[in-house]
Amino acid sequence: MDSAVKNQCCAADFMPVETLRDIQLTRLQKIVRHAYDNVEFFRKRMDDMQVKPDDVKTLTDIQKLPFSKKVDLRDTYPFGLCAVPMSEVVRLHASSGTTGKPIVVAYTKEDLDVWAEVMKRGLAGAGLSKNDIIQIAYGYGLFTGGLGAHCGCEALGATVVPASVGNTQRQVMLMRDFGVNGICCTPSYFLHLIEQAALSGIDMRELPVRVGIFGAEPWSQGMREQLEKGAGIEAFDIYGLSEIIGPGVAIECTEHSGMHVFEDHFYPEIIDPDTGEVLPDGEMGELVLTTLSKYAMPMIRYRTRDLTRIIAEPCKCGRTIRRIDRISARSDDMFIIRGVNVFPSQIESALLTVPGVSANYLIILTTENGMDNIELNVEMSPEVFSDQVKELENLQRKIVRAVESVIGLRIRIKLVAPQTIARSEGKAKRVLDQRQK
């Protein structure tokens, strides 16, 4: 790693592994005691399993503790998992609640300091510094993305452009006029920015932006290539979730060989999603996270439903904190068609291997004659948009073969004109389930 870049990064990223493990154990013991003493939910779960805080004597003893899940936050809505008096809570965030009651998360002043610290470390690891101008096009408000990125940028000392989402033409104008170097948003929204800039005669590759921090939704290597080619940037994958803290749990460094987990604050495990058994580093499974230093609403062994693996091998950047691989899928995003497990990310990966299609698509699930089917609506890129039937049929066949080679199913493909699939300013909606229930 370049010495100037390393100097602006946090020493905690490079601490000896033995020191890191000692810090993790000390913080784990403290947070388990805090949760047990102050949250009835955790105390009952631990008592039911006949485990006490003093039973956590080593890091492997974390496996004695019960799991927590998203439903637990909904069942204790709004403040049932708070471990401090409300007088110590300085901020609340919440999910959109589109599938029921929203997930509410609380922060003390110290929790916000931790959040700003890990975001700062992540931004620095992506090569950003106090000399940069960073535009934040995540939503502000109850969604954690906007304010989480904002506080990290300010902690870094960078100039912040709090653009939020929407008003796409204005977003492009700000990037151009303010000399923006970095941008934080969802990958699908940045793709939309590239498209809208082109329609206005602006080539994003000619703007000074050089770094994109993209998260809040799964995205593939093919999407990365489209974003980097379309805007002349270096794209970084960032990972987080509101239940743990928000964005900043893990992020890629400039080596792009996995996302470094700030594991002095978030302890990672990988489990078999079916049995709950802890898997060794390197094996694919469900990511489980424990907050080691979040006190308003600690989470013990939280099942994220995100599928990945821990990469324990040393990174060329020199950081000693471990990495997780790109989130390949979410176990709760999976749908089953004719006995085959299918993830939207698999379809995207296959789709983006075919020249002439864009990264905008919609998966429609239907039922016909008692059988479930997939229809994939795919936007053609403007360069290949044509009304010649032969060319369209050839492109269609290529997409069918590419998808079938990945998921093992032959599905229907519907080619649609550019700009006809609805764009989202937040997380992209990729699946429309119209199956008979």
Side-chain angles (χ1 to χ4, degrees):
M1 173 187 284
D2 180 84
S3 59
V5 174
K6 185 172 181 177
N7 288 339
Q8 73 180 18
C9 296
C10 180
D13 294 347
F14 302 90
M15 73 174 78
V17 173
E18 297 77 13
T19 303
L20 174 60
R21 298 291 174 256
D22 288 342
I23 290 173
Q24 288 175 321
L25 178 58
T26 299
R27 289 180 174 175
L28 175 64
Q29 291 170 328
K30 187 176 180 181
I31 204 70
V32 170
R33 169 58 68 182
H34 176 68
Y36 184 87
D37 289 346
N38 295 287
V39 183
E40 181 182 358
F41 169 85
F42 286 117
R43 183 165 56 252
K44 185 177 186 306
R45 282 279 177 92
M46 290 175 62
D47 286 348
D48 288 346
M49 296 181 66
Q50 297 184 329
V51 59
K52 300 294 184 183
D54 289 343
D55 294 330
V56 181
K57 302 183 186 304
T58 68
L59 283 175
T60 56
D61 287 336
I62 195 172
Q63 299 177 32
K64 300 176 181 178
L65 301 173
F67 293 114
S68 52
K69 302 177 182 180
K70 180 170 287 190
V71 67
D72 299 326
L73 284 97
R74 290 201 174 105
D75 289 347
T76 56
Y77 172 89
F79 305 132
L81 293 186
C82 269
V84 300
M86 288 304 294
S87 59
E88 295 181 24
V89 173
V90 298
R91 191 192 298 173
L92 296 171
H93 280 284
S95 69
S96 62
T98 54
T99 56
K101 289 182 179 179
I103 299 302
V104 177
V105 287
Y107 304 79
T108 65
K109 172 61 170 65
E110 292 73 22
D111 294 339
L112 293 181
D113 291 342
V114 169
W115 195 6
E117 176 203 329
V118 294
M119 277 300 304
K120 172 187 174 181
R121 289 160 64 178
L123 295 167
L128 292 165
S129 74
K130 65 179 182 180
N131 299 315
D132 288 309
I133 301 172
I134 304 174
Q135 186 161 320
I136 300 173
Y138 285 122
Y140 281 68
L142 290 176
F143 174 58
T144 55
L147 283 168
H150 185 115
C151 293
C153 291
E154 286 189 340
L156 186 67
T159 302
V160 184
V161 182
S164 193
V165 296
N167 206 336
T168 302
Q169 294 297 333
R170 189 165 181 257
Q171 297 267 5
V172 176
M173 179 193 75
L174 295 176
M175 293 173 68
R176 180 191 61 199
D177 296 349
F178 289 3
V180 169
N181 309 113
I183 187 165
C184 302
C185 62
T186 64
S188 58
Y189 186 60
F190 191 69
L191 183 67
H192 183 46
L193 288 176
I194 295 173
E195 293 173 339
Q196 292 302 305
L199 291 174
S200 300
I202 299 172
D203 187 343
M204 291 276 275
R205 294 170 296 183
E206 296 178 358
L207 301 185
V209 61
R210 71 174 198 282
V211 171
I213 309 294
F214 303 124
E217 62 188 24
W219 52 297
S220 64
Q221 181 62 27
M223 174 73 89
R224 181 199 297 274
E225 292 168 1
Q226 284 210 3
L227 298 177
E228 292 187 335
K229 181 180 178 181
I233 63 166
E234 186 175 4
F236 290 82
D237 199 357
I238 188 171
Y239 175 77
L241 56 168
S242 299
E243 301 92 311
I244 298 301
I245 203 163
V249 173
I251 191 173
E252 288 181 318
C253 68
T254 52
E255 294 296 328
H256 299 286
S257 57
M259 294 180 285
H260 289 277
V261 180
F262 297 110
E263 55 174 326
D264 49 326
H265 294 293
F266 315 109
Y267 188 80
E269 301 173 85
I270 299 293
I271 65 168
D272 182 311
D274 296 322
T275 67
E277 177 189 0
V278 175
L279 301 176
D281 288 355
E283 289 198 25
M284 186 69 69
E286 179 184 342
L287 177 64
V288 171
L289 291 167
T290 297
T291 57
L292 299 179
S293 50
K294 186 169 182 285
Y295 279 82
M297 195 174 282
M299 295 305 300
I300 307 299
R301 302 196 80 196
Y302 183 76
R303 295 188 60 165
T304 68
R305 298 297 182 185
D306 292 320
L307 303 179
T308 184
R309 66 187 180 97
I310 290 177
I311 306 171
E313 295 79 19
C315 183
K316 292 180 181 178
C317 73
R319 286 176 177 79
T320 52
I321 51 176
R322 289 174 294 174
R323 292 161 287 156
I324 54 173
D325 212 344
R326 171 186 292 276
I327 302 299
S328 62
R330 285 183 56 85
S331 60
D332 53 2
D333 281 347
M334 183 187 77
F335 48 86
I336 301 175
I337 302 293
R338 289 168 244 158
V340 177
N341 296 343
V342 180
F343 293 96
S345 57
Q346 293 176 301
I347 293 178
E348 178 177 300
S349 296
L351 180 64
L352 294 181
T353 64
V354 181
V357 300
S358 79
N360 294 300
Y361 62 93
L362 180 64
I363 299 167
I364 302 175
L365 306 179
T366 61
T367 303
E368 295 180 17
N369 300 320
M371 182 177 294
D372 290 343
N373 295 291
I374 304 175
E375 178 182 292
L376 179 61
N377 289 4
V378 182
E379 274 190 15
M380 292 172 286
S381 63
E383 294 78 15
V384 300
F385 180 52
S386 170
D387 58 359
Q388 296 184 27
V389 174
K390 186 176 181 179
E391 291 184 20
L392 295 179
E393 289 178 343
N394 186 42
L395 181 60
Q396 201 169 31
R397 282 193 294 269
K398 289 180 179 179
I399 297 172
V400 168
R401 287 195 296 267
V403 173
E404 185 178 8
S405 69
V406 172
I407 68 172
L409 292 173
R410 181 170 288 264
I411 69 174
R412 299 172 182 171
I413 303 296
K414 181 180 179 181
L415 300 178
V416 299
Q419 302 293 317
T420 54
I421 292 178
R423 303 312 196 247
S424 171
E425 295 173 352
K427 298 182 181 182
K429 183 174 179 59
R430 300 296 195 191
V431 180
L432 180 60
D433 194 344
Q434 298 179 336
R435 290 177 291 182
Q436 298 171 5
K437 303 300 183 183

